[in-house]
Amino acid sequence: MNFVEELRWRGMLHDIMPETEEYLLKNKTTGYIGFDPTADSLHIGSLVPIILLMHFQKAGHNPIALVGGATGMVGDPSGKSDERNLLDEETLNKNVAGVKEQLARFLDFKSSSENSAEMVNNYDWMKEISLIEFVRDVGKHITVNYMMAKDSVKKRLDSDSQTGMSFTEFTYQLFQGYDFFHLFKEKNCMLQMGGSDQWGNILTGTELIRRKAQGKAYALTCKLITKADGSKFGKTAGGNVWLDANRTSPYKFYQYWLNSSDEDAEKYIKIFTFLDKETIDLLIAEHKEAPHLRILQKKIGEEVTIMTHGVDAFNNAIKASNILFGKSTTEDLKSLDEQTFIDVFDGVPQAEIERSIIENGLDIVASFSDTGFLKSNGEVRRALKENSISINKEKVKEDFVITTSDLIADKFVLLQRGKKTYYLLKLV
Protein backbone atom coordinates (compact mmCIF):
# COMPACT_ATOMS: atom_id res chain seq x y z
CA MET A 1 0.00 0.00 0.00
CA ASN A 2 1.31 3.45 -0.97
CA PHE A 3 0.56 5.46 2.16
CA VAL A 4 1.04 8.86 0.51
CA GLU A 5 -1.07 7.95 -2.53
CA GLU A 6 -3.82 6.73 -0.19
CA LEU A 7 -3.87 10.16 1.48
CA ARG A 8 -3.71 11.90 -1.89
CA TRP A 9 -6.82 10.31 -3.45
CA ARG A 10 -8.74 10.77 -0.22
CA GLY A 11 -8.03 14.52 -0.34
CA MET A 12 -6.09 14.44 2.92
CA LEU A 13 -2.57 15.38 1.80
CA HIS A 14 -1.51 19.02 2.15
CA ASP A 15 2.28 19.49 2.45
CA ILE A 16 5.02 16.90 1.99
CA MET A 17 8.79 17.24 2.11
CA PRO A 18 10.69 16.20 -1.04
CA GLU A 19 11.68 12.51 -1.10
CA THR A 20 9.22 11.57 1.66
CA GLU A 21 7.00 9.43 -0.56
CA GLU A 22 9.98 7.62 -2.07
CA TYR A 23 11.46 6.94 1.38
CA LEU A 24 8.20 5.48 2.69
CA LEU A 25 7.84 3.20 -0.32
CA LYS A 26 11.29 1.73 0.24
CA ASN A 27 11.46 1.62 4.05
CA LYS A 28 9.36 0.39 6.95
CA THR A 29 9.24 3.63 8.90
CA THR A 30 8.43 4.92 12.35
CA GLY A 31 6.39 8.13 12.32
CA TYR A 32 4.58 10.17 14.93
CA ILE A 33 1.83 12.70 15.53
CA GLY A 34 1.46 14.80 18.67
CA PHE A 35 -1.81 15.33 20.53
CA ASP A 36 -2.25 18.29 22.88
CA PRO A 37 -4.01 17.30 26.13
CA THR A 38 -6.03 20.51 26.43
CA ALA A 39 -9.01 18.44 27.68
CA ASP A 40 -9.51 14.92 29.05
CA SER A 41 -11.15 13.95 25.76
CA LEU A 42 -10.28 14.46 22.12
CA HIS A 43 -12.96 15.84 19.76
CA ILE A 44 -13.80 14.90 16.20
CA GLY A 45 -11.24 17.36 14.84
CA SER A 46 -8.68 14.96 16.34
CA LEU A 47 -10.09 12.11 14.23
CA VAL A 48 -8.13 13.34 11.20
CA PRO A 49 -4.66 12.84 12.75
CA ILE A 50 -5.88 9.62 14.39
CA ILE A 51 -7.03 8.29 11.01
CA LEU A 52 -3.70 9.44 9.53
CA LEU A 53 -1.91 7.18 12.05
CA MET A 54 -4.34 4.35 11.31
CA HIS A 55 -3.59 4.56 7.57
CA PHE A 56 0.12 4.69 8.43
CA GLN A 57 -0.18 1.48 10.47
CA LYS A 58 -2.30 -0.23 7.80
CA ALA A 59 0.49 0.56 5.30
CA GLY A 60 2.89 -1.49 7.43
CA HIS A 61 4.65 1.32 9.29
CA ASN A 62 5.07 1.88 13.04
CA PRO A 63 2.97 4.75 14.44
CA ILE A 64 3.81 6.69 17.58
CA ALA A 65 1.12 8.74 19.29
CA LEU A 66 2.76 11.44 21.38
CA VAL A 67 0.70 12.98 24.17
CA GLY A 68 2.12 16.37 25.01
CA GLY A 69 2.38 16.36 28.78
CA ALA A 70 5.25 18.86 28.54
CA THR A 71 4.22 20.92 25.52
CA GLY A 72 0.70 21.08 26.94
CA MET A 73 2.18 23.21 29.72
CA VAL A 74 3.50 25.67 27.12
CA GLY A 75 0.64 26.00 24.62
CA ASP A 76 0.85 25.84 20.85
CA PRO A 77 0.26 29.26 19.17
CA SER A 78 -0.47 27.67 15.76
CA GLY A 79 -3.84 28.83 14.47
CA LYS A 80 -4.52 30.79 17.68
CA SER A 81 -5.21 34.51 17.87
CA ASP A 82 -4.72 34.67 21.64
CA GLU A 83 -2.63 32.81 24.17
CA ARG A 84 -4.41 29.82 25.66
CA ASN A 85 -4.76 29.37 29.41
CA LEU A 86 -1.98 27.26 30.90
CA LEU A 87 -3.07 24.11 32.74
CA ASP A 88 -1.92 23.04 36.19
CA GLU A 89 -0.11 19.71 36.51
CA GLU A 90 -3.03 17.84 38.11
CA THR A 91 -5.43 18.84 35.31
CA LEU A 92 -2.81 18.05 32.68
CA ASN A 93 -2.18 14.57 34.09
CA LYS A 94 -5.92 13.87 34.09
CA ASN A 95 -6.15 15.04 30.48
CA VAL A 96 -3.16 12.95 29.40
CA ALA A 97 -4.71 9.82 30.91
CA GLY A 98 -8.02 10.49 29.13
CA VAL A 99 -6.36 11.07 25.75
CA LYS A 100 -4.23 7.93 26.09
CA GLU A 101 -7.28 5.80 26.82
CA GLN A 102 -9.07 7.13 23.74
CA LEU A 103 -6.14 6.63 21.37
CA ALA A 104 -5.99 2.97 22.41
CA ARG A 105 -9.40 2.43 20.77
CA PHE A 106 -8.09 3.29 17.32
CA LEU A 107 -4.54 1.97 17.09
CA ASP A 108 -3.11 -1.52 17.60
CA PHE A 109 -0.72 -1.29 20.56
CA LYS A 110 -0.23 -5.05 20.91
CA SER A 111 3.46 -5.83 21.26
CA SER A 112 2.92 -9.02 19.24
CA SER A 113 2.11 -6.98 16.12
CA GLU A 114 4.90 -6.54 13.59
CA ASN A 115 4.17 -2.85 13.38
CA SER A 116 2.61 -2.18 16.77
CA ALA A 117 1.79 1.37 17.76
CA GLU A 118 3.48 3.06 20.70
CA MET A 119 2.32 5.82 22.98
CA VAL A 120 4.75 8.29 24.54
CA ASN A 121 4.51 11.37 26.75
CA ASN A 122 7.08 14.09 26.09
CA TYR A 123 7.03 15.05 29.77
CA ASP A 124 8.98 11.83 30.42
CA TRP A 125 12.08 13.23 28.72
CA MET A 126 11.52 16.98 29.07
CA LYS A 127 11.23 16.85 32.88
CA GLU A 128 14.90 15.91 33.19
CA ILE A 129 16.24 18.83 31.12
CA SER A 130 17.23 22.07 32.83
CA LEU A 131 16.68 25.47 31.23
CA ILE A 132 20.44 25.95 30.85
CA GLU A 133 20.80 22.59 29.09
CA PHE A 134 17.90 23.29 26.77
CA VAL A 135 19.11 26.75 25.79
CA ARG A 136 22.68 25.49 25.28
CA ASP A 137 21.96 22.18 23.52
CA VAL A 138 18.83 23.04 21.55
CA GLY A 139 18.40 26.80 21.32
CA LYS A 140 21.81 27.43 19.76
CA HIS A 141 20.92 25.31 16.70
CA ILE A 142 17.82 27.32 15.68
CA THR A 143 18.14 31.03 14.94
CA VAL A 144 15.62 33.66 15.96
CA ASN A 145 15.36 34.65 12.29
CA TYR A 146 14.32 31.09 11.44
CA MET A 147 11.69 31.03 14.21
CA MET A 148 10.33 34.49 13.32
CA ALA A 149 9.72 33.38 9.74
CA LYS A 150 7.18 30.74 10.78
CA ASP A 151 3.55 31.53 9.92
CA SER A 152 2.38 30.71 13.45
CA VAL A 153 4.66 33.47 14.74
CA LYS A 154 4.23 35.99 11.91
CA LYS A 155 0.42 35.87 12.03
CA ARG A 156 0.38 36.57 15.75
CA LEU A 157 2.89 39.41 15.49
CA ASP A 158 1.07 40.96 12.51
CA SER A 159 -2.37 40.70 14.12
CA ASP A 160 -4.20 43.53 15.87
CA SER A 161 -4.12 41.60 19.17
CA GLN A 162 -2.92 43.80 22.02
CA THR A 163 -1.49 40.80 23.84
CA GLY A 164 1.19 40.05 21.25
CA MET A 165 3.02 36.75 21.72
CA SER A 166 4.63 35.62 24.95
CA PHE A 167 8.11 34.13 25.10
CA THR A 168 6.41 30.95 26.38
CA GLU A 169 4.48 30.54 23.14
CA PHE A 170 7.44 31.62 21.04
CA THR A 171 9.49 28.71 22.39
CA TYR A 172 6.80 26.13 21.56
CA GLN A 173 8.32 25.26 18.19
CA LEU A 174 11.64 24.53 19.92
CA PHE A 175 9.91 22.10 22.28
CA GLN A 176 8.10 20.37 19.43
CA GLY A 177 11.29 20.33 17.39
CA TYR A 178 13.12 18.71 20.26
CA ASP A 179 10.41 16.01 20.50
CA PHE A 180 11.15 15.02 16.91
CA PHE A 181 14.88 15.06 17.59
CA HIS A 182 14.45 12.89 20.70
CA LEU A 183 12.27 10.34 18.88
CA PHE A 184 14.68 10.36 15.94
CA LYS A 185 17.59 9.47 18.28
CA GLU A 186 15.76 7.09 20.65
CA LYS A 187 13.11 5.46 18.43
CA ASN A 188 14.62 5.85 14.95
CA CYS A 189 11.54 7.95 14.14
CA MET A 190 12.02 9.37 10.65
CA LEU A 191 8.68 11.07 10.02
CA GLN A 192 6.47 13.60 11.75
CA MET A 193 2.89 14.20 10.60
CA GLY A 194 0.14 16.58 11.64
CA GLY A 195 -2.38 19.16 10.50
CA SER A 196 -1.33 21.78 7.98
CA ASP A 197 -1.12 24.39 10.76
CA GLN A 198 1.75 22.33 12.22
CA TRP A 199 3.98 22.54 9.13
CA GLY A 200 6.29 25.20 10.58
CA ASN A 201 6.73 23.38 13.89
CA ILE A 202 7.40 20.08 12.09
CA LEU A 203 10.06 21.67 9.86
CA THR A 204 11.78 23.04 12.96
CA GLY A 205 12.16 19.41 14.06
CA THR A 206 13.67 18.32 10.73
CA GLU A 207 16.01 21.32 10.85
CA LEU A 208 17.10 20.49 14.40
CA ILE A 209 17.79 16.89 13.35
CA ARG A 210 19.83 18.16 10.40
CA ARG A 211 21.88 20.64 12.42
CA LYS A 212 22.26 18.79 15.71
CA ALA A 213 22.47 15.16 14.52
CA GLN A 214 23.51 15.64 10.89
CA GLY A 215 20.51 13.46 10.07
CA LYS A 216 17.70 13.54 7.53
CA ALA A 217 14.07 13.30 8.58
CA TYR A 218 10.79 13.66 6.73
CA ALA A 219 7.47 15.44 7.13
CA LEU A 220 3.94 15.60 5.79
CA THR A 221 0.73 17.27 6.83
CA CYS A 222 -2.95 16.72 6.11
CA LYS A 223 -5.52 19.36 5.26
CA LEU A 224 -7.49 21.06 8.00
CA ILE A 225 -11.16 20.15 7.65
CA THR A 226 -13.57 22.96 6.88
CA LYS A 227 -17.33 22.95 6.30
CA ALA A 228 -18.87 24.10 3.05
CA ASP A 229 -21.02 26.73 4.79
CA GLY A 230 -18.00 28.31 6.45
CA SER A 231 -18.85 27.14 9.99
CA LYS A 232 -16.23 25.35 12.03
CA PHE A 233 -15.96 21.59 11.61
CA GLY A 234 -16.73 19.65 14.78
CA LYS A 235 -18.76 22.46 16.37
CA THR A 236 -22.49 22.50 17.12
CA ALA A 237 -24.73 24.92 18.97
CA GLY A 238 -23.83 22.95 22.10
CA GLY A 239 -20.06 23.18 21.52
CA ASN A 240 -17.49 20.57 20.52
CA VAL A 241 -18.44 17.09 19.34
CA TRP A 242 -16.32 14.94 21.66
CA LEU A 243 -15.06 11.38 21.32
CA ASP A 244 -16.00 10.72 24.96
CA ALA A 245 -19.51 9.25 25.12
CA ASN A 246 -20.08 11.00 28.46
CA ARG A 247 -19.50 14.39 26.84
CA THR A 248 -21.22 13.72 23.49
CA SER A 249 -23.58 10.76 23.46
CA PRO A 250 -23.25 8.27 20.56
CA TYR A 251 -26.72 9.44 19.46
CA LYS A 252 -25.61 13.08 19.14
CA PHE A 253 -22.31 11.93 17.63
CA TYR A 254 -24.21 9.99 14.94
CA GLN A 255 -26.60 12.88 14.36
CA TYR A 256 -23.67 15.24 13.66
CA TRP A 257 -22.63 13.15 10.66
CA LEU A 258 -26.23 12.57 9.59
CA ASN A 259 -26.76 16.34 9.41
CA SER A 260 -23.78 16.93 7.10
CA SER A 261 -24.46 18.77 3.87
CA ASP A 262 -24.26 16.79 0.61
CA GLU A 263 -21.12 18.70 -0.36
CA ASP A 264 -19.41 17.95 2.94
CA ALA A 265 -20.56 14.32 2.90
CA GLU A 266 -18.75 13.69 -0.41
CA LYS A 267 -15.56 14.90 1.27
CA TYR A 268 -16.11 13.21 4.64
CA ILE A 269 -16.77 9.73 3.18
CA LYS A 270 -13.19 9.71 1.86
CA ILE A 271 -11.53 11.18 4.93
CA PHE A 272 -13.36 9.56 7.84
CA THR A 273 -13.95 6.03 6.56
CA PHE A 274 -11.66 3.26 5.35
CA LEU A 275 -13.95 2.25 2.49
CA ASP A 276 -12.08 1.68 -0.78
CA LYS A 277 -12.30 4.04 -3.75
CA GLU A 278 -14.63 1.79 -5.78
CA THR A 279 -17.12 1.54 -2.90
CA ILE A 280 -17.00 5.27 -2.24
CA ASP A 281 -17.48 6.19 -5.90
CA LEU A 282 -20.52 3.86 -6.01
CA LEU A 283 -21.99 5.41 -2.84
CA ILE A 284 -21.52 8.93 -4.21
CA ALA A 285 -23.26 7.97 -7.47
CA GLU A 286 -26.16 6.37 -5.58
CA HIS A 287 -26.47 9.42 -3.35
CA LYS A 288 -26.66 11.79 -6.32
CA GLU A 289 -29.53 9.76 -7.77
CA ALA A 290 -31.56 10.03 -4.55
CA PRO A 291 -30.05 12.69 -2.25
CA HIS A 292 -33.18 12.75 -0.07
CA LEU A 293 -32.27 9.27 1.19
CA ARG A 294 -29.00 10.68 2.64
CA ILE A 295 -27.08 7.55 1.70
CA LEU A 296 -23.67 9.16 2.20
CA GLN A 297 -24.52 10.74 5.54
CA LYS A 298 -25.94 7.48 6.91
CA LYS A 299 -22.89 5.49 5.79
CA ILE A 300 -20.44 7.99 7.26
CA GLY A 301 -22.42 8.05 10.52
CA GLU A 302 -22.38 4.26 10.66
CA GLU A 303 -18.66 3.86 9.92
CA VAL A 304 -17.42 6.61 12.24
CA THR A 305 -19.79 5.82 15.13
CA ILE A 306 -18.80 2.14 15.08
CA MET A 307 -15.12 3.04 14.84
CA THR A 308 -15.38 5.44 17.79
CA HIS A 309 -18.01 3.87 20.06
CA GLY A 310 -18.61 0.31 18.85
CA VAL A 311 -21.46 -1.59 17.19
CA ASP A 312 -23.79 -1.59 20.22
CA ALA A 313 -23.55 2.18 20.58
CA PHE A 314 -24.29 2.61 16.87
CA ASN A 315 -27.35 0.34 17.09
CA ASN A 316 -28.59 2.31 20.10
CA ALA A 317 -28.06 5.57 18.18
CA ILE A 318 -30.20 4.21 15.32
CA LYS A 319 -32.84 3.08 17.81
CA ALA A 320 -32.82 6.54 19.42
CA SER A 321 -33.13 8.20 15.99
CA ASN A 322 -36.15 6.05 15.16
CA ILE A 323 -37.92 7.12 18.34
CA LEU A 324 -38.51 10.58 16.95
CA PHE A 325 -38.52 9.82 13.25
CA GLY A 326 -39.87 6.28 12.96
CA LYS A 327 -41.79 3.53 14.70
CA SER A 328 -40.71 2.64 18.22
CA THR A 329 -42.08 1.02 21.37
CA THR A 330 -42.10 1.60 25.10
CA GLU A 331 -39.35 -1.01 25.36
CA ASP A 332 -37.22 1.01 22.94
CA LEU A 333 -37.65 4.10 25.09
CA LYS A 334 -36.86 2.28 28.32
CA SER A 335 -33.69 0.82 26.81
CA LEU A 336 -32.18 4.30 26.46
CA ASP A 337 -29.77 5.59 29.09
CA GLU A 338 -30.62 8.92 30.69
CA GLN A 339 -28.20 11.06 28.63
CA THR A 340 -29.36 9.63 25.30
CA PHE A 341 -32.99 10.10 26.30
CA ILE A 342 -32.28 13.74 27.19
CA ASP A 343 -30.43 14.24 23.89
CA VAL A 344 -33.26 12.71 21.82
CA PHE A 345 -35.86 14.97 23.42
CA ASP A 346 -33.67 18.06 23.68
CA GLY A 347 -35.91 21.13 23.43
CA VAL A 348 -39.17 19.27 24.13
CA PRO A 349 -41.32 21.21 26.67
CA GLN A 350 -41.37 19.67 30.12
CA ALA A 351 -42.83 20.00 33.58
CA GLU A 352 -41.38 18.89 36.90
CA ILE A 353 -43.54 16.90 39.31
CA GLU A 354 -42.97 15.35 42.70
CA ARG A 355 -42.05 11.67 42.72
CA SER A 356 -44.72 11.01 45.35
CA ILE A 357 -47.44 11.99 42.84
CA ILE A 358 -46.33 9.22 40.46
CA GLU A 359 -45.88 6.77 43.33
CA ASN A 360 -49.51 7.35 44.28
CA GLY A 361 -50.66 7.06 40.66
CA LEU A 362 -51.27 10.02 38.33
CA ASP A 363 -54.59 10.21 36.48
CA ILE A 364 -54.12 10.47 32.70
CA VAL A 365 -56.34 13.56 32.37
CA ALA A 366 -54.48 15.37 35.16
CA SER A 367 -51.12 14.47 33.66
CA PHE A 368 -52.01 16.36 30.47
CA SER A 369 -53.99 19.31 31.84
CA ASP A 370 -52.50 20.06 35.28
CA THR A 371 -48.95 20.06 33.86
CA GLY A 372 -49.83 22.56 31.12
CA PHE A 373 -49.45 20.24 28.12
CA LEU A 374 -53.09 20.64 27.10
CA LYS A 375 -55.31 23.56 28.10
CA SER A 376 -58.17 21.81 29.89
CA ASN A 377 -59.62 18.51 31.05
CA GLY A 378 -62.14 18.77 28.24
CA GLU A 379 -59.40 19.02 25.60
CA VAL A 380 -57.67 15.96 27.07
CA ARG A 381 -60.90 13.92 27.02
CA ARG A 382 -61.59 14.90 23.41
CA ALA A 383 -58.07 13.83 22.45
CA LEU A 384 -58.57 10.53 24.28
CA LYS A 385 -61.80 9.87 22.36
CA GLU A 386 -59.87 10.59 19.13
CA ASN A 387 -57.33 7.95 20.26
CA SER A 388 -54.51 10.47 19.87
CA ILE A 389 -53.03 10.32 23.38
CA SER A 390 -49.93 8.20 24.08
CA ILE A 391 -47.80 7.52 27.12
CA ASN A 392 -44.26 6.42 26.28
CA LYS A 393 -45.29 5.82 22.65
CA GLU A 394 -48.30 3.59 23.50
CA LYS A 395 -51.92 4.65 23.02
CA VAL A 396 -53.93 4.84 26.26
CA LYS A 397 -57.57 5.17 27.33
CA GLU A 398 -59.20 7.52 29.84
CA ASP A 399 -58.89 5.07 32.72
CA PHE A 400 -55.09 4.87 32.40
CA VAL A 401 -53.02 5.77 35.50
CA ILE A 402 -49.31 6.66 35.31
CA THR A 403 -47.22 4.84 37.94
CA THR A 404 -43.53 4.28 38.67
CA SER A 405 -43.57 1.31 36.27
CA ASP A 406 -43.94 3.84 33.43
CA LEU A 407 -40.75 5.75 34.30
CA ILE A 408 -37.93 5.99 31.76
CA ALA A 409 -34.44 6.15 33.28
CA ASP A 410 -36.30 6.25 36.63
CA LYS A 411 -37.28 9.91 36.20
CA PHE A 412 -39.13 10.64 32.93
CA VAL A 413 -42.54 10.01 31.39
CA LEU A 414 -43.12 10.88 27.74
CA LEU A 415 -46.55 12.37 26.95
CA GLN A 416 -47.65 12.61 23.35
CA ARG A 417 -50.59 13.96 21.37
CA GLY A 418 -50.78 12.88 17.75
CA LYS A 419 -47.61 11.87 15.97
CA LYS A 420 -45.25 14.77 16.62
CA THR A 421 -46.36 16.75 19.68
CA TYR A 422 -44.34 15.70 22.76
CA TYR A 423 -44.17 16.75 26.39
CA LEU A 424 -41.97 15.44 29.20
CA LEU A 425 -42.75 14.89 32.85
CA LYS A 426 -39.58 14.94 34.93
CA LEU A 427 -39.56 13.71 38.51
CA VAL A 428 -37.87 15.81 41.18
Side-chain angles (χ1 to χ4, degrees):
M1 172 182 167
N2 184 335
F3 169 64
V4 174
E5 181 56 35
E6 185 75 12
L7 301 183
R8 191 176 282 124
W9 80 258
R10 289 181 181 275
M12 296 177 71
L13 190 65
H14 191 269
D15 292 304
I16 184 167
M17 276 186 67
E19 303 176 29
T20 300
E21 184 172 4
E22 294 81 357
Y23 183 84
L24 291 171
L25 284 171
K26 294 176 182 177
N27 301 275
K28 181 182 177 182
T29 307
T30 298
Y32 92 96
I33 294 178
F35 296 86
D36 255 351
T38 51
D40 61 0
S41 170
L42 299 170
H43 51 76
I44 63 172
S46 309
L47 275 177
V48 179
I50 290 172
I51 287 172
L52 201 59
L53 284 180
M54 293 171 76
H55 279 300
F56 191 66
Q57 189 169 40
K58 285 176 182 290
H61 302 295
N62 291 87
I64 293 178
L66 181 149
V67 182
T71 42
M73 293 181 177
V74 177
D76 181 7
S78 302
K80 308 292 188 300
S81 58
D82 294 298
E83 184 165 5
R84 66 170 51 151
N85 294 327
L86 300 182
L87 304 175
D88 59 72
E89 191 168 349
E90 182 181 352
T91 302
L92 202 60
N93 289 337
K94 176 176 176 286
N95 292 353
V96 167
V99 171
K100 279 186 172 182
E101 182 181 347
Q102 286 183 340
L103 289 172
R105 298 184 207 159
F106 299 93
L107 296 164
D108 182 4
F109 289 95
K110 296 173 186 173
S111 57
S112 58
S113 303
E114 286 187 7
N115 60 325
S116 62
E118 186 175 358
M119 205 173 300
V120 296
N121 182 348
N122 60 11
Y123 184 73
D124 292 339
W125 56 82
M126 292 301 301
K127 66 183 178 183
E128 306 295 338
I129 304 174
S130 71
L131 175 61
I132 293 174
E133 285 179 296
F134 191 77
V135 171
R136 183 192 64 197
D137 296 339
V138 179
K140 72 174 183 178
H141 292 285
I142 303 295
T143 67
V144 171
N145 304 55
Y146 180 87
M147 296 173 71
M148 292 282 286
K150 298 301 180 197
D151 282 344
S152 60
V153 176
K154 286 167 65 177
K155 286 179 181 176
R156 281 291 292 278
L157 295 179
D158 293 343
S159 72
D160 294 330
S161 173
Q162 298 299 309
T163 57
M165 183 184 224
S166 70
F167 179 72
T168 304
E169 285 186 296
F170 184 60
T171 60
Y172 184 91
Q173 61 176 288
L174 283 182
F175 280 88
Q176 186 169 330
Y178 185 76
D179 285 342
F180 197 0
F181 171 79
H182 175 86
L183 293 175
F184 175 85
K185 295 285 287 183
E186 301 298 324
K187 305 283 186 182
N188 194 32
C189 181
M190 304 297 293
L191 173 70
Q192 184 181 171
M193 299 168 281
S196 58
D197 60 337
Q198 293 296 309
W199 185 243
N201 293 338
I202 293 172
L203 291 186
T204 298
T206 63
E207 188 67 6
L208 187 60
I209 288 167
R210 185 183 72 81
R211 295 185 182 187
K212 187 172 168 60
Q214 293 74 53
K216 183 171 178 60
Y218 302 90
L220 66 81
T221 60
C222 59
K223 294 178 180 178
L224 295 180
I225 307 302
T226 55
K227 292 175 73 172
D229 63 4
S231 60
K232 190 171 182 180
F233 171 75
K235 288 278 191 180
T236 67
N240 282 326
V241 179
W242 300 94
L243 302 188
D244 183 347
N246 294 318
R247 284 174 172 252
T248 300
S249 70
Y251 164 75
K252 274 200 168 179
F253 185 86
Y254 174 74
Q255 288 295 316
Y256 179 84
W257 303 102
L258 201 61
N259 292 327
S260 302
S261 70
D262 290 343
E263 186 178 347
D264 286 332
E266 278 197 39
K267 181 169 60 175
Y268 295 167
I269 193 77
K270 298 174 184 175
I271 295 171
F272 294 102
T273 79
F274 290 87
L275 300 172
D276 59 50
K277 190 175 187 302
E278 184 180 352
T279 302
I280 287 175
D281 288 343
L282 184 62
L283 284 167
I284 291 174
E286 289 178 359
H287 180 89
K288 286 181 176 178
E289 288 181 6
H292 64 284
L293 297 178
R294 304 187 74 74
I295 293 169
L296 283 180
Q297 288 90 339
K298 288 176 181 177
K299 190 60 179 175
I300 297 164
E302 176 186 350
E303 294 286 321
V304 185
T305 304
I306 289 174
M307 178 174 67
T308 306
H309 297 294
V311 175
D312 289 344
F314 166 70
N315 289 334
N316 286 336
I318 294 295
K319 187 189 299 181
S321 298
N322 289 338
I323 284 169
L324 275 182
F325 309 114
K327 292 182 178 179
S328 57
T329 65
T330 300
E331 287 69 29
D332 291 332
L333 278 173
K334 290 188 174 181
S335 70
L336 300 181
D337 60 84
E338 180 179 344
Q339 186 56 56
T340 302
F341 181 84
I342 291 170
D343 288 342
V344 170
F345 293 99
D346 183 30
V348 170
Q350 60 179 263
E352 294 183 345
I353 61 171
E354 296 290 337
R355 179 174 288 272
S356 59
I357 294 175
I358 294 290
E359 289 174 345
N360 294 326
L362 177 61
D363 173 76
I364 187 65
V365 174
S367 71
F368 276 72
S369 61
D370 293 359
T371 58
F373 183 16
L374 298 183
K375 294 178 182 178
S376 65
N377 290 351
E379 185 178 354
V380 180
R381 291 193 174 96
R382 282 194 298 274
L384 284 163
K385 287 178 181 177
E386 295 166 358
N387 198 32
S388 63
I389 294 293
S390 300
I391 298 295
N392 297 338
K393 288 286 188 174
E394 288 193 358
K395 300 284 187 183
V396 295
K397 301 296 183 183
E398 191 169 343
D399 60 351
F400 188 84
V401 176
I402 299 174
T403 67
T404 53
S405 65
D406 298 304
L407 293 177
I408 300 166
D410 197 40
K411 66 170 63 173
F412 299 103
V413 179
L414 179 66
L415 311 184
Q416 184 178 352
R417 181 179 185 179
K419 291 184 177 181
K420 297 181 179 179
T421 307
Y422 296 101
Y423 198 84
L424 281 181
L425 300 185
K426 181 181 178 182
L427 271 61
V428 293

